[in-house]
Amino acid sequence: MTDKNKSGQRQEDPARTRSPDPLPSWNEGRTKNAIREFVTKVTSEGGPGSVPTHERIAVFDNDGTLWSEQPFYFQGLFVFDRIHALAAGHPEWKDTQPFKAVLEKDLKTLASAGLHGLLELVMATHTGLTTEEFERTVKEWLSSSRHPRFNRPFTDLVFQPMLELLAFLRANDFRTFIVSGGGIEFVRTFSEDRYGIVPEQVVGSSIVTKYEVRDGRPVLVREPKLDFINDHEGKPVGINKFIGRRPIAAFGNSDGDLQMLEWVTAGTGPRFGLIVHHDDAVREFAYDRASAAGRLDRGLEEAPGRGWALVSMEKDWKVIYPFELEQEVT
Amino acid sequence: MTDKNKSGQRQEDPARTRSPDPLPSWNEGRTKNAIREFVTKVTSEGGPGSVPTHERIAVFDNDGTLWSEQPFYFQGLFVFDRIHALAAGHPEWKDTQPFKAVLEKDLKTLASAGLHGLLELVMATHTGLTTEEFERTVKEWLSSSRHPRFNRPFTDLVFQPMLELLAFLRANDFRTFIVSGGGIEFVRTFSEDRYGIVPEQVVGSSIVTKYEVRDGRPVLVREPKLDFINDHEGKPVGINKFIGRRPIAAFGNSDGDLQMLEWVTAGTGPRFGLIVHHDDAVREFAYDRASAAGRLDRGLEEAPGRGWALVSMEKDWKVIYPFELEQEVT
């Protein structure tokens, strides 16, 4: 692993481009201009919109904002795989929701169970595991499983334009945080390698852990008890709890990010809000109002009036995934 | 406020000394040597104990470790002042513990109510306040109240040798976190100015907050409900939740820090644990096993066997408070 500077970020930012344009995968246009103008304003020392570096905090949703989330949240697919793997020892799951829906691959029922249903599945499949055992399980799954459409590891499906945006902000002394509805310990297993975001800069949903000394060795055991849901109204709460200061920029893609965008952009001074709209069925997926994962409805209505940038993946992004760049080279 | 670098730390570290010795307020001896040797080992690139910068995390208890905690935790004194200020509107407090004990200045009963009792008082006096209103209330108190013995603002009573230690670690690419049993939002009101520790690097006890939009303006309201107690077994839990990686150095002063020290020093590679022993009744306070605040019993017994450094404030520290240095100059 490469070295990191004091913020925990890699000194060689993995997402930094060699191009003179810090955002080479973004097409020229209104969105790209808005990003550049915001960063210029914030970093103009002595200028009217100048923001001191310690207040330059940007928050990013993960699912659908930094990587894909179809056909379903990737952590959901991980949990479903765990349910299938453990089903032989749990005959009762065949008749109990939401387990039944998983075993029958009934995505519609699962979607209606929502994040709460997902978390119930998470808790049921991970009771009694230590945090280290859980990390190992996730990492094994991430390295062995493949996305059903792209037949690639899920961590290949991060968005190249967003990697460039993370690097651009960090190069301008921003600290970049993930604020995810997903499980904090799940996201932390890959955020450092894929995004250059260290564990302490990941905020997410969590279950209760308990400190125990087992045979003289201290461990943290994951309990089957919900601690915090970091979604919708929970996102500003999580931001206040973990970061303790209002960020100046927020990036999301679904109505689960609405309150985060609202909280961040309601502050004084320069603010930036952005919503990624998934409108590219050819290169990624096209979905919004009716989607089981990443439903975007109110955000789509309200973005223009609230001054939030709306990214069209089809029109604004030259490239979706990093592996497209590799293919160009070969 | 001065500028900060990417980690959120001040570029001009407020605690950095101009002396060639980075720890001028520490007397030469075993403890000072142990600190220096640990930092040298960790930062020797390619050496057997070398630790990459992104893993250089040090955690500090606050009360009794970074500032004084007698005659009682300063946040406790703040809460007592709030109870007195609000008592006229709450006649029922005269007959209800732990309020009765506060109004009667019955420290013994308060001590036996412990952290839970304190938090009950915190919650009772802050229901319905927004996070911004709470911050203002704390800051007003910190600027207007005085320590009963030293007749100085409480924030004057930080430990000069620990400020130097924080700066020394940061100069060696450590990220320094507070991991306090005190309220996270209380500590954050002064941690940046006094210690150079940004809000996101403060972990502490918390109450539940709720997101609301009031007259079109989003706020976070502090609810009368406990969220998390970051003390004893809670400290490793809080570290895992907020930092997500095991630190390599831990600094405490009471049995409430025991599990944090245990968790940190049980990791592989170079580890450092240190306990501040309050044995200087002349310049600060002398207390350990029988104290209401900052009780140190098991830690005193076990420190030598576990390889944790034990600081004698009387013998190891040339200076206790920063204001002693000002007095030397004049």
Side-chain angles (χ1 to χ4, degrees), chain A residues 63-94:
Chain A
D63 296 313
T65 300
L66 294 180
W67 73 353
S68 291
E69 61 184 348
Q70 298 296 346
F72 200 59
Y73 303 115
F74 296 169
Q75 185 177 5
L77 302 180
F78 163 67
V79 173
F80 302 161
D81 281 352
R82 297 301 304 155
I83 296 281
H84 283 282
L86 300 168
H90 293 271
E92 76 280 9
W93 285 353
K94 274 190 299 210

Side-chain angles (χ1 to χ4, degrees), chain A residues 49-310:
Chain A
S50 166
V51 174
T53 55
H54 64 285
E55 290 177 15
R56 291 183 203 160
I57 291 177
V59 284
F60 291 79
D61 168 59
N62 183 45
D63 296 313
T65 300
L66 294 180
W67 73 353
S68 291
E69 61 184 348
Q70 298 296 346
F72 200 59
Y73 303 115
F74 296 169
Q75 185 177 5
L77 302 180
F78 163 67
V79 173
F80 302 161
D81 281 352
R82 297 301 304 155
I83 296 281
H84 283 282
L86 300 168
H90 293 271
E92 76 280 9
W93 285 353
K94 274 190 299 210
D95 306 305
T96 320
Q97 292 295 13
F99 304 94
K100 186 169 181 283
V102 175
L103 296 174
E104 293 170 358
K105 306 197 178 191
D106 171 7
L107 270 185
K108 207 178 145 197
T109 301
L110 275 170
S112 70
L115 188 64
H116 273 280
L118 260 183
L119 285 169
E120 194 179 334
L121 295 169
V122 169
M123 290 184 280
T125 50
H126 299 95
T127 304
L129 276 178
T130 68
T131 49
E132 284 162 357
E133 289 162 350
F134 177 73
E135 185 185 345
R136 223 166 20 239
T137 309
V138 176
K139 285 186 167 172
E140 277 169 16
W141 181 80
L142 283 175
S143 67
S144 63
S145 58
R146 294 289 177 274
H147 187 276
R149 172 171 161 197
F150 294 99
N151 194 32
R152 284 178 168 273
F154 290 99
T155 47
D156 277 10
L157 304 183
V158 299
F159 300 137
Q160 176 63 25
M162 297 305 281
L163 293 182
E164 293 168 7
L165 181 54
L166 285 169
F168 179 48
L169 291 172
R170 292 193 289 246
N172 284 283
D173 290 332
F174 277 76
R175 302 197 294 294
T176 53
F177 283 77
I178 289 174
V179 177
S180 172
I184 190 167
E185 304 219 51
F186 180 85
V187 178
R188 280 172 171 166
T189 62
F190 61 90
S191 65
E192 193 165 6
D193 279 338
R194 286 316 274 146
Y195 306 131
I197 294 178
V198 286
E200 72 218 49
Q201 291 175 346
V202 175
V203 182
S205 297
S206 54
I207 62 167
V208 170
T209 64
K210 195 179 158 211
Y211 187 72
E212 276 180 23
V213 179
R214 292 183 174 174
D215 302 326
R217 194 178 151 265
V219 292
L220 288 163
V221 182
R222 292 167 60 86
E223 303 270 290
K225 197 179 160 197
L226 184 64
D227 177 42
F228 180 63
I229 297 189
N230 191 56
D231 208 19
H232 293 278
E233 290 81 3
K235 288 205 174 187
V237 171
I239 287 170
N240 183 62
K241 194 194 304 197
F242 281 77
I243 307 179
R245 162 143 57 202
R246 204 188 297 225
I248 63 169
F251 303 84
N253 80 298
S254 80
D255 283 359
D257 303 315
L258 205 90
Q259 288 81 1
M260 173 172 84
L261 282 154
E262 182 173 62
W263 174 246
V264 168
T265 58
T268 52
R271 300 282 149 170
F272 195 80
L274 182 149
I275 292 177
V276 176
H277 186 203
H278 293 260
D279 60 357
D280 193 332
V282 177
R283 296 186 300 171
E284 203 243 4
F285 299 93
Y287 60 96
D288 44 44
R289 291 189 166 84
S291 181
R295 182 166 178 270
L296 178 66
D297 187 354
R298 258 187 76 192
L300 214 48
E301 297 288 335
E302 297 183 20
R306 289 176 180 259
W308 300 337
L310 202 58

Side-chain angles (χ1 to χ4, degrees), chain A residues 3-4 6 53-54 132 170 173 175 188 192 200 211 227 240-241 243-246 262, chain B residues 3-4 6 53-54 132 170 173 175 188 192 200 211 227 240-241 243-246 262:
Chain A
D3 219 17
K4 310 279 196 302
K6 283 185 195 171
T53 55
H54 64 285
E132 284 162 357
R170 292 193 289 246
D173 290 332
R175 302 197 294 294
R188 280 172 171 166
E192 193 165 6
E200 72 218 49
Y211 187 72
D227 177 42
N240 183 62
K241 194 194 304 197
I243 307 179
R245 162 143 57 202
R246 204 188 297 225
E262 182 173 62
Chain B
D3 219 18
K4 308 281 196 303
K6 283 186 194 170
T53 54
H54 65 285
E132 283 162 356
R170 292 193 290 246
D173 290 332
R175 302 197 295 294
R188 280 173 171 166
E192 193 165 6
E200 72 218 51
Y211 187 72
D227 177 42
N240 183 62
K241 192 193 305 196
I243 307 179
R245 162 142 59 202
R246 203 188 300 225
E262 182 173 63

